[in-house]
Amino acid sequence: MTYEATGAPAFVTLARNRWHITPIDADSARATYEGRFETRGALGGLARWWILAQVNRTGRHLLDDLKHYVERGTPSPRKPRQLGRRTTV
């Protein structure tokens, strides 16, 4: 599955993610993802640094969270904490 951001600021020239799900056997599969994020201009350079830092921080556990959800049918214990942080100002 591939998806691409739309409606991004003008300094973002590309924001795309691609997921690959590869069957291993009847009961398991391997999930991988890759992303491309390109910017232009000075503002784009600064924004790129910040956005990639955020993606790195949140993406570290992405595949583990997916695995937990697929195997147990519930969000990982980490998700409510992440959502709680996001809603506080």
Side-chain angles (χ1 to χ4, degrees):
M1 170 177 71
T2 300
Y3 54 94
E4 193 167 316
T6 59
F11 60 80
V12 176
T13 58
L14 179 67
R16 179 186 305 141
N17 284 330
R18 180 174 291 142
W19 287 78
H20 302 273
I21 308 298
T22 308
I24 295 174
D25 57 36
D27 297 319
S28 60
R30 179 180 320 279
T32 59
Y33 70 97
E34 60 185 278
R36 286 193 58 194
F37 183 71
E38 298 174 6
T39 61
R40 65 174 160 231
L43 182 57
L46 290 173
R48 178 182 171 80
W49 175 85
W50 183 82
I51 290 169
L52 290 178
Q54 294 299 313
V55 167
N56 184 46
R57 186 173 69 81
T58 59
R60 285 183 296 214
H61 305 290
L62 183 63
L63 292 174
D64 288 338
D65 291 344
L66 174 63
K67 182 178 190 297
H68 185 282
Y69 184 77
V70 168
E71 290 177 350
R72 294 179 177 87
T74 61
S76 77
R78 181 180 14 259
K79 297 311 281 184
R81 291 193 307 268
Q82 289 174 341
L83 295 173
R85 278 193 304 243
R86 200 176 302 163
T87 58
T88 59
V89 177

Coordinates of all heavy atoms in Angstrom, one line a residue:
M1 N 0.9 -1.2 0.0 CA 0.0 0.0 0.0 C 0.9 1.2 0.0 O 1.9 1.3 0.7 CB -0.9 0.0 1.3 CG -1.6 1.3 1.4 SD -2.7 1.3 2.8 CE -1.6 1.4 4.2
T2 N 0.6 2.2 -0.8 CA 1.3 3.4 -0.9 C 0.3 4.6 -0.7 O -0.8 4.5 -1.3 CB 2.0 3.6 -2.2 OG1 3.0 2.5 -2.4 CG2 2.8 4.9 -2.3
Y3 N 0.7 5.6 0.0 CA -0.1 6.7 0.2 C 0.8 8.0 0.2 O 1.9 7.9 0.6 CB -1.1 6.7 1.3 CG -0.4 6.4 2.7 CD1 -0.1 7.5 3.5 CD2 -0.2 5.1 3.1 CE1 0.5 7.2 4.7 CE2 0.4 4.8 4.3 CZ 0.7 5.9 5.1 OH 1.3 5.6 6.4
E4 N 0.2 9.1 -0.3 CA 0.9 10.3 -0.4 C 0.1 11.5 0.2 O -1.1 11.5 0.0 CB 1.2 10.6 -1.9 CG 2.2 11.6 -2.1 CD 2.7 11.6 -3.6 OE1 3.0 10.6 -4.1 OE2 2.8 12.7 -4.1
A5 N 0.8 12.3 0.9 CA 0.2 13.5 1.5 C -0.3 14.5 0.5 O 0.4 14.7 -0.5 CB 1.1 14.2 2.5
T6 N -1.5 15.0 0.7 CA -1.9 16.1 -0.2 C -2.3 17.3 0.7 O -2.5 17.2 1.9 CB -3.2 15.7 -0.9 OG1 -4.2 15.4 0.0 CG2 -3.0 14.5 -1.8
G7 N -2.2 18.5 0.1 CA -2.6 19.7 0.9 C -1.4 20.1 1.8 O -1.7 20.9 2.8
A8 N -0.2 19.7 1.6 CA 0.9 20.1 2.4 C 1.3 21.5 2.1 O 1.0 22.0 1.0 CB 2.1 19.1 2.2
P9 N 2.1 22.1 3.0 CA 2.6 23.5 2.7 C 3.5 23.4 1.4 O 4.0 22.4 1.0 CB 3.5 23.8 3.9 CG 3.0 22.9 5.0 CD 2.5 21.7 4.3
A10 N 3.6 24.6 0.8 CA 4.3 24.7 -0.5 C 5.8 24.2 -0.5 O 6.3 23.7 -1.5 CB 4.3 26.1 -1.0
F11 N 6.4 24.3 0.7 CA 7.8 23.8 0.8 C 8.0 22.3 0.8 O 9.1 21.8 0.7 CB 8.5 24.5 2.0 CG 7.9 24.1 3.3 CD1 8.2 22.9 4.0 CD2 7.1 25.0 4.0 CE1 7.7 22.6 5.2 CE2 6.6 24.8 5.2 CZ 6.8 23.6 5.8
V12 N 6.9 21.6 1.0 CA 6.9 20.1 0.9 C 6.6 19.7 -0.5 O 5.6 19.9 -1.1 CB 5.8 19.5 1.9 CG1 5.8 18.0 1.7 CG2 6.1 19.9 3.3
T13 N 7.6 19.0 -1.1 CA 7.5 18.6 -2.5 C 7.0 17.2 -2.6 O 6.5 16.8 -3.6 CB 8.8 18.8 -3.3 OG1 9.8 18.1 -2.6 CG2 9.1 20.3 -3.4
L14 N 7.3 16.3 -1.5 CA 6.9 15.0 -1.6 C 6.8 14.4 -0.1 O 7.7 14.7 0.7 CB 7.9 14.1 -2.3 CG 7.6 12.6 -2.4 CD1 6.3 12.3 -3.2 CD2 8.7 11.8 -3.0
A15 N 5.7 13.8 0.2 CA 5.6 13.1 1.5 C 4.8 11.8 1.2 O 3.6 11.8 0.9 CB 4.8 13.9 2.5
R16 N 5.5 10.7 1.1 CA 4.9 9.4 0.7 C 5.4 8.3 1.6 O 6.6 8.2 2.0 CB 5.4 9.1 -0.7 CG 4.8 7.8 -1.3 CD 5.4 7.4 -2.6 NE 5.2 8.5 -3.6 CZ 6.1 8.8 -4.5 NH1 7.2 8.2 -4.6 NH2 5.8 9.8 -5.4
N17 N 4.5 7.4 1.9 CA 4.8 6.2 2.7 C 4.4 5.0 1.8 O 3.4 5.0 1.1 CB 4.0 6.1 4.0 CG 4.6 7.0 5.0 OD1 5.8 7.3 5.0 ND2 3.8 7.5 5.9
R18 N 5.2 3.9 2.0 CA 4.9 2.7 1.3 C 5.1 1.5 2.3 O 6.1 1.4 2.9 CB 5.9 2.5 0.1 CG 5.6 1.2 -0.7 CD 6.5 1.1 -1.9 NE 6.0 2.1 -2.9 CZ 6.8 2.8 -3.6 NH1 8.1 2.6 -3.6 NH2 6.3 3.6 -4.5
W19 N 4.0 0.7 2.4 CA 4.0 -0.4 3.2 C 4.1 -1.7 2.4 O 3.5 -1.8 1.3 CB 2.7 -0.5 4.1 CG 2.6 0.5 5.1 CD1 2.4 1.9 5.0 CD2 2.9 0.3 6.5 NE1 2.4 2.5 6.2 CE2 2.7 1.6 7.1 CE3 3.2 -0.8 7.3 CZ2 2.8 1.7 8.5 CZ3 3.3 -0.6 8.6 CH2 3.2 0.6 9.2
H20 N 4.8 -2.7 2.9 CA 4.9 -4.0 2.3 C 4.5 -5.1 3.3 O 5.1 -5.1 4.4 CB 6.3 -4.3 1.8 CG 6.9 -3.3 0.9 ND1 6.7 -3.4 -0.5 CD2 7.6 -2.2 1.1 CE1 7.3 -2.3 -1.0 NE2 7.8 -1.6 -0.1
I21 N 3.6 -5.9 3.0 CA 3.2 -7.0 3.8 C 3.5 -8.3 3.1 O 3.0 -8.5 2.0 CB 1.7 -7.0 4.2 CG1 1.2 -5.6 4.8 CG2 1.3 -8.2 5.1 CD1 1.9 -5.3 6.0
T22 N 4.4 -9.1 3.6 CA 4.9 -10.3 3.0 C 4.5 -11.5 3.8 O 4.9 -11.6 4.9 CB 6.4 -10.3 2.8 OG1 6.8 -9.0 2.2 CG2 6.9 -11.4 2.0
P23 N 3.7 -12.4 3.2 CA 3.3 -13.6 4.0 C 4.6 -14.5 4.3 O 5.4 -14.6 3.4 CB 2.4 -14.4 3.0 CG 2.0 -13.4 2.0 CD 3.1 -12.4 1.9
I24 N 4.6 -15.0 5.5 CA 5.7 -16.0 5.8 C 5.1 -17.4 5.8 O 5.7 -18.3 5.2 CB 6.2 -15.6 7.2 CG1 6.9 -14.2 7.2 CG2 7.2 -16.7 7.7 CD1 7.4 -13.7 8.5
D25 N 4.0 -17.6 6.5 CA 3.3 -18.9 6.4 C 1.8 -18.6 6.7 O 1.4 -17.5 6.6 CB 3.9 -19.9 7.5 CG 3.9 -19.3 8.9 OD1 2.9 -18.6 9.3 OD2 4.9 -19.7 9.6
A26 N 1.1 -19.6 7.0 CA -0.4 -19.5 7.1 C -0.8 -18.6 8.3 O -1.9 -18.0 8.4 CB -1.1 -20.8 7.3
D27 N 0.1 -18.5 9.3 CA -0.2 -17.7 10.5 C 0.6 -16.5 10.8 O 0.5 -15.8 11.8 CB 0.0 -18.6 11.8 CG -1.0 -19.8 11.7 OD1 -2.1 -19.6 11.4 OD2 -0.5 -21.0 12.0
S28 N 1.5 -16.1 9.8 CA 2.3 -14.9 10.1 C 2.7 -14.2 8.8 O 2.7 -14.8 7.7 CB 3.6 -15.4 10.9 OG 4.3 -16.3 10.2
A29 N 3.1 -13.0 9.0 CA 3.5 -12.2 7.9 C 4.6 -11.2 8.4 O 4.7 -10.9 9.6 CB 2.4 -11.4 7.3
R30 N 5.3 -10.6 7.5 CA 6.3 -9.6 7.8 C 5.8 -8.2 7.3 O 5.4 -8.1 6.1 CB 7.7 -9.9 7.2 CG 8.7 -8.9 7.5 CD 10.1 -9.3 6.9 NE 10.4 -10.7 6.9 CZ 10.9 -11.3 8.0 NH1 11.1 -10.6 9.1 NH2 11.2 -12.6 8.0
A31 N 5.8 -7.2 8.1 CA 5.4 -5.9 7.7 C 6.6 -5.0 7.7 O 7.4 -5.0 8.7 CB 4.4 -5.3 8.6
T32 N 6.8 -4.2 6.6 CA 7.9 -3.2 6.6 C 7.3 -2.0 6.0 O 6.3 -2.0 5.3 CB 9.1 -3.7 5.7 OG1 8.6 -4.0 4.4 CG2 9.7 -4.9 6.3
Y33 N 8.0 -0.8 6.2 CA 7.5 0.4 5.6 C 8.7 1.3 5.3 O 9.8 1.1 5.8 CB 6.5 1.1 6.5 CG 7.1 1.7 7.7 CD1 7.5 3.1 7.7 CD2 7.3 1.0 8.9 CE1 8.0 3.6 8.9 CE2 7.8 1.5 10.0 CZ 8.2 2.9 10.0 OH 8.7 3.4 11.1
E34 N 8.5 2.1 4.3 CA 9.5 3.1 3.9 C 8.8 4.4 3.6 O 7.7 4.4 3.2 CB 10.4 2.6 2.8 CG 9.5 2.4 1.5 CD 10.3 1.8 0.4 OE1 11.0 2.5 -0.3 OE2 10.2 0.5 0.2
G35 N 9.5 5.5 3.9 CA 8.9 6.8 3.6 C 9.9 7.7 2.9 O 11.1 7.5 3.0
R36 N 9.3 8.6 2.1 CA 10.1 9.6 1.4 C 9.5 11.0 1.8 O 8.3 11.1 1.7 CB 10.1 9.4 -0.1 CG 10.9 8.2 -0.5 CD 11.1 8.2 -2.0 NE 11.8 9.4 -2.5 CZ 11.9 9.8 -3.7 NH1 11.3 9.0 -4.7 NH2 12.4 10.9 -4.1
F37 N 10.4 11.9 2.1 CA 9.9 13.2 2.5 C 10.9 14.2 1.9 O 12.1 14.2 2.2 CB 9.9 13.4 4.0 CG 9.3 14.7 4.5 CD1 8.0 15.0 4.3 CD2 10.2 15.6 5.0 CE1 7.5 16.2 4.7 CE2 9.7 16.8 5.5 CZ 8.3 17.2 5.3
E38 N 10.4 15.0 1.0 CA 11.3 16.0 0.3 C 10.8 17.4 0.5 O 9.5 17.6 0.5 CB 11.4 15.6 -1.2 CG 12.1 14.3 -1.4 CD 12.0 13.8 -2.8 OE1 11.7 14.6 -3.7 OE2 12.4 12.7 -3.1
T39 N 11.7 18.3 0.6 CA 11.3 19.7 0.8 C 12.2 20.6 -0.1 O 13.1 20.2 -0.7 CB 11.5 20.2 2.2 OG1 12.9 20.1 2.6 CG2 10.7 19.4 3.2
R40 N 11.8 21.9 -0.2 CA 12.6 22.9 -0.9 C 12.7 24.2 -0.1 O 11.8 24.5 0.7 CB 12.0 23.1 -2.3 CG 10.7 23.8 -2.2 CD 10.2 24.2 -3.6 NE 8.7 24.4 -3.6 CZ 7.8 23.8 -4.4 NH1 8.2 23.0 -5.3 NH2 6.6 24.0 -4.2
G41 N 13.8 24.9 -0.4 CA 14.0 26.2 0.2 C 14.5 26.1 1.7 O 14.6 25.1 2.3
A42 N 14.8 27.3 2.2 CA 15.3 27.4 3.6 C 14.3 26.9 4.6 O 14.6 26.2 5.5 CB 15.8 28.8 3.9
L43 N 13.0 27.4 4.4 CA 12.0 27.0 5.4 C 11.8 25.5 5.3 O 11.6 24.8 6.3 CB 10.7 27.7 5.1 CG 9.5 27.4 6.0 CD1 9.9 27.7 7.4 CD2 8.3 28.2 5.6
G44 N 11.9 24.9 4.1 CA 11.7 23.5 3.9 C 12.8 22.7 4.6 O 12.6 21.7 5.2
G45 N 14.1 23.3 4.6 CA 15.2 22.6 5.3 C 15.0 22.6 6.8 O 15.2 21.5 7.4
L46 N 14.5 23.7 7.3 CA 14.2 23.7 8.8 C 13.1 22.8 9.1 O 13.1 22.0 10.1 CB 13.9 25.1 9.2 CG 15.1 26.1 9.2 CD1 14.6 27.5 9.5 CD2 16.1 25.7 10.2
A47 N 12.0 22.8 8.3 CA 10.8 22.0 8.6 C 11.2 20.5 8.5 O 10.7 19.7 9.2 CB 9.7 22.4 7.7
R48 N 12.0 20.2 7.5 CA 12.4 18.8 7.2 C 13.1 18.2 8.5 O 12.8 17.2 8.9 CB 13.3 18.7 6.0 CG 13.8 17.3 5.7 CD 14.8 17.3 4.5 NE 15.4 16.1 4.3 CZ 14.9 15.0 3.8 NH1 13.6 15.1 3.3 NH2 15.5 13.9 3.7
W49 N 14.0 19.0 9.0 CA 14.8 18.6 10.2 C 13.8 18.3 11.4 O 13.8 17.2 12.0 CB 15.8 19.7 10.6 CG 16.5 19.3 11.9 CD1 17.6 18.5 12.1 CD2 16.0 19.7 13.2 NE1 17.9 18.4 13.4 CE2 17.0 19.1 14.1 CE3 15.0 20.5 13.7 CZ2 16.9 19.3 15.5 CZ3 14.9 20.6 15.1 CH2 15.8 20.1 16.0
W50 N 12.8 19.2 11.6 CA 11.9 19.0 12.7 C 11.0 17.8 12.5 O 10.7 17.0 13.3 CB 11.1 20.3 12.9 CG 10.2 20.2 14.1 CD1 10.5 20.4 15.4 CD2 8.8 19.9 14.0 NE1 9.4 20.2 16.2 CE2 8.3 19.9 15.4 CE3 7.9 19.6 13.0 CZ2 7.0 19.6 15.7 CZ3 6.6 19.3 13.3 CH2 6.2 19.3 14.7
I51 N 10.4 17.8 11.3 CA 9.5 16.7 10.9 C 10.1 15.3 11.0 O 9.6 14.4 11.6 CB 8.8 16.9 9.6 CG1 7.9 18.2 9.7 CG2 8.1 15.7 9.1 CD1 7.3 18.7 8.4
L52 N 11.3 15.2 10.5 CA 12.0 13.9 10.5 C 12.4 13.5 11.9 O 12.3 12.3 12.3 CB 13.2 13.9 9.6 CG 12.9 14.0 8.1 CD1 14.2 14.0 7.3 CD2 12.1 12.8 7.7
A53 N 12.7 14.5 12.8 CA 12.9 14.2 14.2 C 11.7 13.6 14.9 O 11.7 12.7 15.6 CB 13.4 15.4 14.9
Q54 N 10.5 14.2 14.5 CA 9.2 13.7 15.1 C 8.9 12.3 14.6 O 8.5 11.5 15.3 CB 8.1 14.7 14.7 CG 8.2 16.1 15.4 CD 8.2 16.0 16.9 OE1 7.4 15.3 17.5 NE2 9.2 16.6 17.5
V55 N 9.1 12.1 13.3 CA 8.9 10.8 12.7 C 9.8 9.8 13.3 O 9.3 8.7 13.6 CB 9.0 10.9 11.1 CG1 9.1 9.5 10.5 CG2 7.9 11.7 10.5
N56 N 11.0 10.1 13.5 CA 12.0 9.2 14.1 C 11.5 8.8 15.5 O 11.5 7.6 15.9 CB 13.4 9.7 14.1 CG 14.4 8.7 14.7 OD1 14.4 7.6 14.3 ND2 15.2 9.2 15.6
R57 N 11.1 9.8 16.3 CA 10.6 9.6 17.7 C 9.4 8.7 17.7 O 9.3 7.7 18.5 CB 10.4 10.9 18.4 CG 10.1 10.8 19.8 CD 10.0 12.1 20.5 NE 8.8 12.9 20.1 CZ 7.6 12.7 20.6 NH1 7.4 11.7 21.5 NH2 6.6 13.4 20.2
T58 N 8.4 9.0 16.9 CA 7.1 8.2 17.0 C 7.2 6.9 16.2 O 6.5 6.0 16.5 CB 6.0 9.1 16.4 OG1 6.2 9.5 15.1 CG2 5.7 10.3 17.3
G59 N 8.0 6.9 15.2 CA 8.1 5.7 14.3 C 8.9 4.6 14.9 O 8.8 3.4 14.4
R60 N 9.6 4.8 16.0 CA 10.5 3.7 16.6 C 9.6 2.5 17.0 O 10.1 1.4 16.9 CB 11.2 4.2 17.8 CG 12.4 5.1 17.4 CD 13.1 5.5 18.7 NE 12.2 6.3 19.5 CZ 12.6 7.3 20.3 NH1 13.9 7.5 20.4 NH2 11.7 8.0 21.0
H61 N 8.4 2.8 17.4 CA 7.5 1.7 17.9 C 6.4 1.3 17.0 O 5.5 0.5 17.3 CB 7.0 2.1 19.3 CG 8.0 2.5 20.2 ND1 8.9 1.6 20.8 CD2 8.4 3.7 20.7 CE1 9.8 2.2 21.6 NE2 9.5 3.5 21.6
L62 N 6.4 1.9 15.8 CA 5.2 1.7 14.9 C 4.9 0.3 14.6 O 3.8 -0.2 14.7 CB 5.5 2.5 13.6 CG 4.4 2.5 12.6 CD1 3.1 3.1 13.2 CD2 4.8 3.3 11.3
L63 N 6.0 -0.5 14.2 CA 5.7 -1.9 13.8 C 5.4 -2.7 15.0 O 4.6 -3.6 14.9 CB 7.0 -2.4 13.0 CG 7.2 -1.8 11.6 CD1 8.5 -2.3 11.0 CD2 6.0 -2.1 10.7
D64 N 6.0 -2.4 16.2 CA 5.6 -3.1 17.4 C 4.2 -2.9 17.7 O 3.4 -3.8 18.2 CB 6.5 -2.7 18.6 CG 7.9 -3.3 18.4 OD1 8.1 -4.3 17.7 OD2 8.8 -2.7 19.1
D65 N 3.7 -1.7 17.6 CA 2.3 -1.3 17.9 C 1.4 -2.0 16.9 O 0.3 -2.5 17.3 CB 2.1 0.2 17.8 CG 2.7 0.9 18.9 OD1 3.1 0.3 19.9 OD2 2.9 2.2 18.8
L66 N 1.7 -2.1 15.6 CA 0.9 -2.8 14.6 C 0.9 -4.3 15.0 O -0.2 -4.9 15.0 CB 1.5 -2.7 13.2 CG 0.9 -3.5 12.1 CD1 -0.6 -3.1 12.0 CD2 1.6 -3.3 10.8
K67 N 2.0 -4.9 15.4 CA 2.0 -6.3 15.7 C 1.1 -6.6 16.9 O 0.3 -7.5 16.9 CB 3.5 -6.7 16.1 CG 3.7 -8.2 16.4 CD 5.1 -8.4 16.7 CE 5.5 -9.9 16.9 NZ 4.9 -10.6 18.0
H68 N 1.2 -5.7 17.9 CA 0.3 -5.9 19.1 C -1.2 -5.9 18.7 O -2.0 -6.7 19.1 CB 0.6 -4.8 20.1 CG -0.1 -4.9 21.4 ND1 -1.4 -4.6 21.6 CD2 0.3 -5.4 22.6 CE1 -1.8 -4.8 22.8 NE2 -0.8 -5.3 23.4
Y69 N -1.5 -4.9 17.9 CA -2.9 -4.8 17.4 C -3.4 -6.0 16.6 O -4.5 -6.5 16.9 CB -3.1 -3.5 16.6 CG -4.5 -3.2 16.3 CD1 -5.4 -2.8 17.2 CD2 -5.0 -3.5 15.0 CE1 -6.7 -2.5 16.9 CE2 -6.3 -3.3 14.6 CZ -7.2 -2.9 15.6 OH -8.5 -2.7 15.3
V70 N -2.6 -6.4 15.7 CA -3.0 -7.6 14.9 C -3.1 -8.8 15.7 O -4.0 -9.6 15.5 CB -1.9 -7.8 13.7 CG1 -2.1 -9.1 13.0 CG2 -2.0 -6.6 12.7
E71 N -2.2 -9.0 16.6 CA -2.2 -10.3 17.4 C -3.3 -10.3 18.5 O -3.8 -11.3 18.9 CB -0.8 -10.5 18.1 CG 0.2 -10.9 17.0 CD 1.6 -11.1 17.6 OE1 1.8 -10.7 18.8 OE2 2.5 -11.6 16.9
R72 N -3.6 -9.1 19.1 CA -4.5 -9.0 20.3 C -5.8 -8.3 20.0 O -6.7 -8.4 20.8 CB -3.8 -8.3 21.4 CG -2.6 -9.1 21.9 CD -1.8 -8.4 23.0 NE -0.8 -9.2 23.6 CZ 0.5 -9.2 23.1 NH1 0.8 -8.4 22.0 NH2 1.4 -9.9 23.6
G73 N -5.9 -7.6 18.9 CA -7.1 -6.9 18.6 C -7.4 -5.6 19.4 O -8.5 -5.1 19.4
T74 N -6.4 -5.2 20.1 CA -6.5 -4.0 20.9 C -5.2 -3.1 20.7 O -4.2 -3.6 20.4 CB -6.6 -4.3 22.5 OG1 -5.4 -5.0 22.9 CG2 -7.8 -5.1 22.8
P75 N -5.3 -1.8 20.9 CA -4.2 -0.9 20.7 C -3.1 -1.3 21.8 O -3.4 -1.8 22.9 CB -4.7 0.5 21.0 CG -6.2 0.4 20.7 CD -6.6 -1.0 21.1
S76 N -1.9 -1.1 21.4 CA -0.8 -1.4 22.4 C -0.9 -0.5 23.6 O -1.6 0.6 23.5 CB 0.6 -1.2 21.7 OG 0.9 0.2 21.7
P77 N -0.4 -0.9 24.8 CA -0.5 -0.1 26.0 C 0.1 1.3 25.8 O -0.3 2.3 26.4 CB 0.3 -0.9 27.0 CG 0.2 -2.3 26.5 CD 0.2 -2.2 25.0
R78 N 1.0 1.5 24.8 CA 1.7 2.7 24.6 C 0.7 3.8 23.9 O 0.8 5.0 24.1 CB 2.9 2.5 23.7 CG 3.7 3.7 23.3 CD 4.9 3.4 22.4 NE 4.9 2.1 21.8 CZ 5.7 1.1 22.2 NH1 6.4 1.2 23.3 NH2 5.7 0.0 21.5
K79 N -0.3 3.3 23.1 CA -1.1 4.2 22.4 C -1.9 5.2 23.2 O -2.0 6.3 22.9 CB -2.0 3.4 21.4 CG -1.3 2.6 20.4 CD -0.3 3.4 19.6 CE -0.9 4.3 18.6 NZ 0.1 5.0 17.8
P80 N -2.6 4.7 24.3 CA -3.4 5.7 25.0 C -2.5 6.8 25.6 O -2.9 8.0 25.7 CB -4.0 4.9 26.2 CG -4.1 3.5 25.6 CD -2.9 3.4 24.7
R81 N -1.3 6.4 26.0 CA -0.3 7.4 26.6 C 0.0 8.4 25.5 O 0.1 9.6 25.7 CB 0.9 6.7 27.1 CG 0.7 5.9 28.4 CD 2.0 5.5 29.1 NE 2.9 4.9 28.2 CZ 3.0 3.6 28.0 NH1 2.2 2.8 28.7 NH2 3.9 3.0 27.2
Q82 N 0.3 7.9 24.3 CA 0.6 8.8 23.2 C -0.5 9.8 22.8 O -0.3 11.0 22.6 CB 1.0 8.0 21.9 CG 2.3 7.4 22.0 CD 2.6 6.5 20.8 OE1 1.7 6.1 20.1 NE2 3.9 6.1 20.6
L83 N -1.7 9.2 22.8 CA -2.9 10.0 22.5 C -3.2 11.0 23.6 O -3.6 12.2 23.3 CB -4.1 9.2 22.2 CG -4.0 8.3 21.0 CD1 -5.2 7.3 20.9 CD2 -4.0 9.1 19.7
G84 N -2.9 10.7 24.8 CA -3.1 11.6 25.9 C -2.2 12.8 25.9 O -2.5 13.9 26.1
R85 N -0.9 12.5 25.5 CA 0.0 13.6 25.4 C -0.3 14.5 24.3 O -0.2 15.7 24.4 CB 1.4 13.0 25.1 CG 2.2 12.5 26.3 CD 3.6 12.3 25.9 NE 3.7 11.4 24.8 CZ 4.3 10.2 24.9 NH1 4.8 9.8 26.0 NH2 4.3 9.4 23.8
R86 N -0.9 14.0 23.2 CA -1.2 14.8 22.0 C -2.4 15.8 22.3 O -2.5 16.8 21.7 CB -1.6 13.9 20.9 CG -1.5 14.6 19.5 CD -1.8 13.6 18.4 NE -0.8 12.5 18.4 CZ -1.0 11.4 17.8 NH1 -2.1 11.2 17.1 NH2 -0.1 10.4 17.9
T87 N -3.3 15.4 23.2 CA -4.5 16.2 23.4 C -4.3 17.3 24.5 O -5.1 18.2 24.7 CB -5.7 15.4 23.8 OG1 -5.4 14.6 25.0 CG2 -6.1 14.4 22.7
T88 N -3.2 17.2 25.3 CA -2.9 18.2 26.3 C -2.2 19.3 25.8 O -1.4 19.2 24.9 CB -2.2 17.6 27.5 OG1 -0.9 17.0 27.0 CG2 -2.9 16.5 28.2
V89 N -2.6 20.5 26.2 CA -1.9 21.7 25.7 C -1.1 22.4 26.8 O -1.3 22.4 27.9 CB -3.0 22.7 25.2 CG1 -2.3 24.0 24.7 CG2 -3.8 22.1 24.1

